[in-house]
């Protein structure tokens, strides 16, 4: 143990360079206020000047170090690998916290978060995208070889992403914000809801095929269109199957709008093929939404007995599960009750405490 740090707060440089959308932003928006209250830590937030607004409002105890990055993903990654270590030393960081699968390889005193499922590359038809996922897998392995500690956001993530370095990995589930809660005064309506940014592993093509067998049911999709190529495929299929008028893309929504949708939907559906956690699942359960979801990856671990499971690659099985849920009020009520109990098991405060323990251990060389 580093005795020089005993009794003193650890300076933690939070590497937010990869918090651009989706779960990465959700994670830091929830975690930063919690970590800022931990007296063992002093936080310095490093992020791209043009993207730090995504993490606002920021706790006044957090020092902010905005940086200008060169354009393009490759140049940004080179900046992180070559320049960030010197910045960390200049800021007096005892430990770097990189809430992504990898961080700067020249910084061994680091904690990373295993949250991106690299198996996505198996199903990606485009070579450039496959190369991205292969590169991410390689960087994950290299980072694990160097860092002191790693957080796995689920047991599934720990199993699939530890690459033989399991002794460094600790499972710490994500939490859910208090705003995601039921409201008995709000009546549920007849639409299906899914919440995710739009790209291949979210499996919306299969969901559209299932929707075609559910006459009169509307599907609303809340999330950014990250991959226009995939979105175009989904829309083309919806038009071909005659369901385009029952499919609505809502874009990225704020927390209040999401809470309202979770409370009003007839059911929440999560058809993803590759997830290490699935924040929307916990949000939906905390709001009491009846849930139908994929039986793949981390989803069964997260929902427990609080969801109707289906094979995400089988449109008929997905359709059958959704038809059963939509047609059975008693089942919806039972799953809603289970969802509330299951959602109550997740807490950002508990996530932050366990993560802070790891940061202190890494900083002190434990």
């Amino acid at each position: 143990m580093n005795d020089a740090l005993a009794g003193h707060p650890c300076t933690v440089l939070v590497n937010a360079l990869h918090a651009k959308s989706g779960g990465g932003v959700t994670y830091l928006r929830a975690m930063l206020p919690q970590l800022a209250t931990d007296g063992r830590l002093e936080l310095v937030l490093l992020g791209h000047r043009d993207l730090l607004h995504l993490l606002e409002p920021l706790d006044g105890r957090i020092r902010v170090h905005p940086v200008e990055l060169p354009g393009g993903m490759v140049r940004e990654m080179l900046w992180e690998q070559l320049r960030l270590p010197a910045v960390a030393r200049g800021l007096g960081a005892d430990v770097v916290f990189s809430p992504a699968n990898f961080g700067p390889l020249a910084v061994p005193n680091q904690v990373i978060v295993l949250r991106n499922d690299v198996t996505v590359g198996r199903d990606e038809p485009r070579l450039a995208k496959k190369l991205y996922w292969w590169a991410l897998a390689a960087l994950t392995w290299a980072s694990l070889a160097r860092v002191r500690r790693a957080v796995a956001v689920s047991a599934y993530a720990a199993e699939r992403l530890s690459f033989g370095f399991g002794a460094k990995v600790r499972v710490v589930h994500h939490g859910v914000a208090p705003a995601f809660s039921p409201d008995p005064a709000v009546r549920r309506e007849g639409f299906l809801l899914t919440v995710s940014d739009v790209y291949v592993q979210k499996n919306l093509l299969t969901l559209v095929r299932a929707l075609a067998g559910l006459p009169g049911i509307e599907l609303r999709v809340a999330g950014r269109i990250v991959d226009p190529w995939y979105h175009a495929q989904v829309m083309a299929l919806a038009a071909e199957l005659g369901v385009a008028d029952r499919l609505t893309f809502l874009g990225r929504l704020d927390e209040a709008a999401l809470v309202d949708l979770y409370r009003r939907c007839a059911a929440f559906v999560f058809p993803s093929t590759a997830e290490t956690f699935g924040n929307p699942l916990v949000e939906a359960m905390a709001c009491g939404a009846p849930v139908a979801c994929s039986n793949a990856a981390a989803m069964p671990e997260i929902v427990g007995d609080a969801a109707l499971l289906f094979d995400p690659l089988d449109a008929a099985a997905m359709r059958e599960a959704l038809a059963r849920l939509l047609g059975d009020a008693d089942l919806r009520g039972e799953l809603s009750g289970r969802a509330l109990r299951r959602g109550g098991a997740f807490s950002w405060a508990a996530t932050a405490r366990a993560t802070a323990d790891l940061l202190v251990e890494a900083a002190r060389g434990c």
Side-chain angles (χ1 to χ4, degrees), residues 2-365:
N2 186 347
D3 293 331
L5 288 174
H8 299 282
C10 304
T11 299
V12 178
L13 179 64
V14 180
N15 173 15
L17 296 182
H18 299 283
K20 298 178 179 180
S21 67
V25 171
T26 299
Y27 180 80
L28 280 181
R29 281 180 60 90
M31 288 287 283
L32 287 172
Q34 298 286 344
L35 293 174
T37 66
D38 194 309
R40 297 173 295 170
L41 310 177
E42 289 184 353
L43 301 185
V44 182
L45 176 65
L46 181 147
H48 195 297
R49 188 182 303 275
D50 295 336
L51 296 176
L52 283 170
H53 70 277
L54 296 174
L55 305 178
E56 295 175 349
L58 290 170
D59 190 289
R61 288 165 288 193
I62 300 173
R63 283 191 287 152
V64 180
H65 186 81
V67 295
E68 296 283 355
L69 295 184
M73 182 177 67
V74 173
R75 289 183 176 181
E76 288 185 7
M77 291 176 66
L78 286 173
W79 190 97
E80 179 181 29
Q81 294 301 321
L82 301 177
R83 295 287 303 280
L84 194 150
V87 172
R89 288 193 298 271
L91 293 170
D94 298 308
V95 62
V96 172
F97 180 43
S98 294
N101 281 46
F102 64 91
L105 299 179
V107 179
N109 213 25
Q110 183 175 189
V111 175
I112 60 172
V113 179
L114 302 175
R115 63 177 184 82
N116 285 36
D117 192 343
V118 298
T119 63
V120 173
R122 297 177 311 188
D123 303 320
E124 175 57 64
R126 294 163 289 180
L127 179 59
K129 294 289 186 179
K130 280 186 177 293
L131 290 173
Y132 166 82
W133 289 106
W134 291 339
L136 179 60
L139 282 168
T140 302
W141 176 88
S143 290
L144 279 168
R146 293 282 290 159
V147 301
R148 287 269 171 78
R149 296 285 188 275
V151 171
V153 300
S154 62
Y156 168 82
E159 178 185 351
R160 291 300 181 96
L161 299 175
S162 60
F163 293 105
F165 297 100
K168 297 182 179 183
V169 177
R170 192 171 303 170
V171 175
V172 181
H173 283 151
H174 287 340
V176 63
F180 294 96
S181 61
D183 184 347
V186 176
R187 298 194 58 166
R188 295 205 170 271
E189 301 172 19
F191 65 90
L192 285 172
L193 173 68
T194 191
V195 176
S196 70
D197 288 342
V198 179
Y199 39 89
V200 171
Q201 65 265 39
K202 300 306 180 178
N203 196 30
L204 296 180
L205 287 173
T206 309
L207 181 54
V208 166
R209 293 187 180 97
L211 181 67
L214 299 170
I217 299 299
E218 177 192 357
L219 172 65
R220 301 182 189 179
V221 182
R224 291 194 317 131
I225 299 173
V226 174
D227 188 341
W229 174 85
Y230 186 69
H231 175 255
Q233 282 201 320
V234 173
M235 293 305 296
L237 180 63
E240 177 187 333
L241 297 178
V243 298
D245 61 334
R246 296 193 278 122
L247 174 62
T248 305
F249 286 88
L250 303 172
R252 184 178 182 273
L253 301 178
D254 61 20
E255 184 178 89
L258 284 175
V259 169
D260 178 62
L261 286 168
Y262 286 132
R263 289 172 175 172
R264 290 192 296 116
C265 66
F268 177 77
V269 56
F270 200 67
S272 184
T273 57
E275 296 284 343
T276 54
F277 186 82
N279 288 313
L281 278 174
V282 180
E283 294 170 354
M285 290 190 296
C287 291
V291 175
C293 82
S294 164
N295 65 4
M299 275 71 82
E301 174 186 347
I302 302 307
V303 299
D305 68 348
L308 202 59
L309 300 179
F310 53 74
D311 180 345
L313 300 180
D314 186 338
M318 190 183 301
R319 180 177 64 250
E320 181 180 345
L322 291 171
R324 180 185 170 199
L325 188 55
L326 292 169
D328 189 335
D330 290 338
L331 178 59
R332 293 197 302 277
E334 179 183 348
L335 286 178
S336 179
R338 291 183 186 178
L340 286 172
R341 290 191 293 273
R342 182 63 177 168
F346 298 90
S347 159
W348 282 120
T351 303
R353 282 194 301 272
T355 304
D357 290 344
L358 282 176
L359 291 168
V360 171
E361 288 176 18
R364 295 178 175 171

